[in-house]
Amino acid sequence: ALVITAGPWAATLLADLQVPLRVERKVQHWFGIDPGCYRETPCFLYEQADGAFYGFPTLDGVTIKVAEHSGGEPVDDPALVDRLCRPEDIAPVAAFVRNAIAKASPLPLRHSVCMYTQSPDGHFLVDRHPQHGGVVYGAGFSGHGFKFTGILGKALADLVIDGRTDLPIGFLRWPRHADGQHAAGAG
């Protein structure tokens, strides 16, 4: 049995399924804040006319992580993604921080580059491979799959061990059909 969860490399590894996954470069930023002022703040997501922005307080109590969820630069080769932070990466997020987050520095202290793997409809893909019964896969986690690792891991384990799952993952199968049915019969 094999479980494939290859992040931005999933499009290549699952090419035979013809899933039009797209990979996008995303830059996360950490902005300085007044010590402790956002320690109790929950995660947030703001959808605005100029983009969708999210953030998390950090454990250090002196920074807040903020990034743009919308947009993104296409990535042709995940191994060659540009890890540098450019002025155009900072500008929209810094403008959001200035307008929405009090007591935050106007420019980020540090950054990190990640990649979103997007499915055509934005939903995750979790299924058995239709030609290889011992292969299951998870892909298209769009930058937020980490929040669902417990339940996604259980679904993938069920599929690889039992060949099915009782979890309601029918809408995550590929290809997606209007009637909810799927050729591989993953659940």
Side-chain angles (χ1 to χ4, degrees), residues 79-100:
L80 300 176
V81 69
D82 181 1
R83 300 275 180 191
L84 298 176
C85 186
R86 301 174 282 209
E88 61 268 25
D89 296 326
I90 298 170
V93 181
F96 168 77
V97 168
R98 278 192 305 278
N99 293 325

Side-chain angles (χ1 to χ4, degrees), residues 17-120:
L17 298 178
Q18 299 178 0
V19 180
L21 293 170
R22 72 182 186 282
V23 178
E24 299 168 346
R25 177 182 173 273
K26 299 288 190 168
V27 182
Q28 309 163 88
H29 306 274
W30 283 262
F31 291 82
I33 56 172
D34 286 353
C37 71
Y38 290 110
R39 186 174 294 278
E40 310 263 332
T41 301
C43 304
F44 60 85
L45 174 73
Y46 285 79
E47 293 185 80
Q48 302 180 316
D50 59 343
F53 300 89
Y54 69 91
F56 301 90
T58 57
L59 296 176
D60 66 15
V62 296
T63 60
I64 189 166
K65 175 183 169 183
V66 184
E68 184 175 3
H69 182 66
S70 52
E73 178 183 324
V75 173
D76 293 325
D77 184 346
L80 300 176
V81 69
D82 181 1
R83 300 275 180 191
L84 298 176
C85 186
R86 301 174 282 209
E88 61 268 25
D89 296 326
I90 298 170
V93 181
F96 168 77
V97 168
R98 278 192 305 278
N99 293 325
I101 302 176
K103 300 181 181 180
S105 61
L107 294 174
L109 301 173
R110 66 182 190 273
H111 80 281
S112 176
V113 174
C114 70
M115 292 176 272
Y116 280 15
T117 304
Q118 301 274 22
S119 69

